[in-house]
Amino acid sequence: MLNQILRDRVYTLTLTTLLLCIVSAAVFPATFPTFENFRQLLLNLSIDAIVAVGMMLLLISGVFDLSVGSVVAFAGGLSAHLMVFYNVPVPVAILAGLGSAVLIGWINGYLIAYQGINPLIQTLAMMGIVRGGALMVAGAGIQNLPYWYNAIGQSKLLGVQMPVWYMGLVVAAFTFLVNRTVFFRRYYYIGGNEQAAELSGIRVRRMKLYAFILSATLAGVAGMLLTSRLGAALSTLGRGMELRVITAVILGGASLTGGVGKIPGALLGALFMGLVSNIMVIARVSGYWQEIILGLILIIAVWIDLALQRRSAVRQGLPRKSVNTPSPEGVGIEK
C-alpha cells in the first residue's frame, strides 16, 4: 500500500495538499481558511494552470517549452497595443494576439521537430526574443484597455472571477481529449518510445509541431486573461512562469523522460504551487526566499521523478526509457 502511494504521484500530491491545508488552517486560522482567500488562491493559480495543461502535453511527448511566460506577456501586450494605439476592435485584437502565439509555437515546433534543434536551446532563445518583443509592444505598460476586453477577466459568475471558470473549461476539455481521443493518445506512445512510434506509422514530427502550437496557444489565452484581469498589459507579465509551470507539471505526474502524465495532474500541481505561494504570502516570507523555495521544490520534484524511474526500471529489469513505453494497442496508426 505504501509503495503504491509513493508510486502514484497524483495521489501522493493530493494527500500532501490536503495535509498542507489542514496545517495552514491551524497555524493561520484568521487568514487562511476563508472564502476570500480561497477565491483569490484559485484566481491566482488559474493562469498558471492553463499554461500547465499545454506544458503537460509537451512533457508527455518528451519535450518542453521555456518560452511560455514570454508568450503570455507578448500576446497580451500585442492585443493591448493594437486596441489602445490603433483602435483595433476587441475581437480582432484578441485574434491578433492569439495568432502571434500560434506563430511562436509553430516556429518552436518546426525548428525542434523538423530541424532537430535541442528544445532547451530553441525555447530558451525564443524566450529572450519574445520577451524583447513584449518590451517593444507593451513598453512601460499599457492601461485604459477597453471595457469589454477587461470584462473577459474581471466579470464574475457565482461570485468567482471568470479566469477560474476558463481554467476549469480548459482542464475538462483537454482531460477528455487526452483520455478519449486517438489523436492525443499518440503523445504517450511518442514520449514513451519515439522510434517505435515512428516505425508504427505515427508522424512524430508533425505531432510534436501540433503540441508546441497548442502549448503556445494556451499561453496566449492565458496572456489575454491576465491582461484583461489586471486591466493593463505589462512587459514583465509571465516572468518566472516557466519555473512554476514545469514544477507543477512534474509534481502532477509528468516525467522529463516523457510518456507519462495526466491533465488533472497539471491542475493539481498548479494548485499545490499556488497553495505554497499563498501560504508564504500569509506568513510574510521574503520574496527572495520565495524564489529559493520554489527552486528547491523543482529540484525535489525532478529528483523524485528520477528515483521512481530508476526503481521501476530495476524492478522490471528494463532500461529506464522503455518503462514509459505504452502498448501501441489503441494508439492508432497514421498513414
Side-chain angles (χ1 to χ4, degrees):
M1 179 64 179
L2 180 60
N3 289 335
Q4 180 63 30
I5 291 176
L6 292 176
R7 286 197 300 269
D8 190 343
R9 276 180 287 169
V10 173
Y11 187 47
T12 304
L13 185 59
T14 302
L15 293 179
T16 305
T17 302
L18 291 175
L19 179 61
L20 189 59
C21 287
I22 294 172
V23 173
S24 300
V27 176
F28 307 106
T31 52
F32 181 79
T34 64
F35 174 77
E36 183 60 33
N37 183 55
F38 285 133
R39 185 176 66 174
Q40 192 63 41
L41 170 64
L42 290 174
L43 180 61
N44 290 338
L45 69 87
S46 61
I47 303 301
D48 283 9
I50 291 173
V51 179
V53 169
M55 189 67 74
M56 176 64 83
L57 192 62
L58 286 174
L59 280 174
I60 289 174
S61 62
V63 291
F64 55 87
D65 187 354
L66 297 178
S67 66
V68 289
S70 298
V71 174
V72 167
F74 181 77
L78 178 61
S79 295
H81 186 89
L82 293 174
M83 288 183 291
V84 172
F85 296 107
Y86 295 96
N87 295 318
V88 173
V90 171
V92 177
I94 291 175
L95 288 176
L98 292 178
S100 69
V102 170
L103 178 60
I104 294 168
W106 183 88
I107 293 173
N108 278 335
Y110 177 78
L111 292 178
I112 291 170
Y114 286 89
Q115 299 302 319
I117 298 180
N118 184 281
L120 172 64
I121 302 302
Q122 171 58 37
T123 59
L124 185 63
M126 186 61 74
M127 178 177 68
I129 293 170
V130 177
R131 182 63 65 179
L135 285 167
M136 292 177 62
V137 298
I142 302 175
Q143 299 180 346
N144 301 319
L145 303 182
Y147 169 81
W148 290 111
Y149 183 79
N150 289 339
I152 296 173
Q154 296 178 8
S155 55
K156 295 181 180 180
L157 177 63
L158 302 178
V160 179
Q161 282 190 258
M162 289 307 297
V164 178
W165 296 105
Y166 295 136
M167 172 191 69
L169 180 62
V170 169
V171 171
F174 275 88
T175 297
F176 173 81
L177 291 173
V178 171
N179 291 341
R180 300 295 183 180
T181 65
V182 172
F183 179 86
F184 282 93
R185 293 295 298 174
R186 290 174 181 151
Y187 284 112
Y188 288 100
Y189 199 28
I190 293 171
N193 193 321
E194 185 173 320
Q195 291 182 343
E198 189 77 50
L199 291 173
S200 69
I202 297 175
R203 298 182 179 180
V204 173
R205 293 186 295 180
R206 179 180 296 183
M207 294 293 292
K208 284 189 175 183
L209 175 64
Y210 292 156
F212 275 101
I213 292 175
L214 281 173
S215 178
T217 301
L218 288 175
V221 171
M224 303 296 160
L225 292 176
L226 185 55
T227 52
S228 62
R229 170 194 152 195
L230 298 176
L234 304 171
S235 60
T236 56
L237 293 180
R239 192 176 295 276
M241 181 178 287
E242 303 84 10
L243 172 65
R244 299 194 305 271
V245 168
I246 292 177
T247 304
V249 171
I250 294 177
L251 286 172
S255 172
L256 292 176
T257 59
V260 295
K262 297 179 180 179
I263 298 300
L267 174 61
L268 185 59
L271 175 61
F272 179 81
M273 295 296 292
L275 183 63
V276 171
S277 297
N278 179 261
I279 293 171
M280 288 192 293
V281 170
I282 293 176
R284 298 182 180 180
V285 176
S286 168
Y288 302 110
W289 280 105
Q290 291 185 30
E291 295 294 329
I292 293 173
I293 291 172
L294 293 178
L296 289 174
I297 292 175
L298 175 58
I299 294 174
I300 294 171
V302 173
W303 178 81
I304 292 174
D305 171 50
L306 294 175
L308 292 175
Q309 291 291 331
R310 293 192 188 101
R311 181 177 181 181
S312 179
V314 170
R315 185 174 60 253
Q316 298 182 27
L318 297 172
R320 185 163 62 110
K321 183 65 177 180
S322 63
V323 173
N324 295 334
T325 306
S327 169
E329 182 179 356
V331 175
I333 305 300
E334 183 176 356
K335 301 295 186 182

